[in-house]
């Protein structure tokens, strides 16, 4: 599954960024879609994910609740992550992910894009 992220960059604490992810339609409509991040020296963690059922069920990690919003554009097969009130601890490489896909979409449970760097300075 080819996923392409964009929108990363450098911002001061308190600022905002919006990440975008382009996904193939067969993944967008049949997989759970979300965002993960990996900070230097740490493991990859879930940031936000919308369910495979596309029923409005969105999960956020506690540290971003109330600050980040996951959304999507069904017509464009695009996934977004609006990040507000950014903190220095949000600094990480952010990855778009398609997961829990049917086998005809991908044999892998997790499929990630190349990632986009988000750097938040104080």
């Amino acid at each position: 599954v080819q996923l392409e992220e964009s929108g990363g960059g450098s911002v001061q604490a308190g600022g905002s960024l919006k990440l975008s992810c382009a996904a193939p339609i067969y993944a967008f409509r049949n997989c759970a879609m979300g965002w993960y991040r990996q900070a230097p020296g740490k493991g990859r963690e879930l940031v936000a994910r919308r369910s495979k059922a596309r029923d409005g069920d969105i999960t956020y990690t506690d540290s971003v609740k109330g600050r980040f919003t996951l959304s999507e554009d069904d017509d464009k097969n695009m996934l977004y992550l609006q990040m507000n009130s950014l903190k220095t601890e949000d600094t990480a490489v952010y990855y778009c992910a398609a997961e829990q896909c049917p086998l005809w979409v991908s044999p892998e449970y997790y499929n990630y894009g190349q990632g986009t760097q988000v750097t938040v300075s104080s």
Side-chain angles (χ1 to χ4, degrees), residues 11-14 37 39-40 67 85-92 94 118-122:
V11 65
Q12 287 192 322
R37 67 185 179 186
R67 300 189 298 122
S85 302
L86 281 160
K87 304 176 181 180
T88 55
E89 51 263 44
D90 295 318
T91 294
Y94 284 70
V118 171
T119 302
V120 184
S121 59
S122 59

Side-chain angles (χ1 to χ4, degrees), residues 25 28-29 50 54 72-78:
I25 186 171
F28 191 82
R29 294 188 178 182
R50 69 99 165 114
R54 305 174 70 200
E72 56 190 320
D73 185 327
D74 287 350
D75 292 335
K76 297 180 179 179
N77 303 323
M78 293 289 294

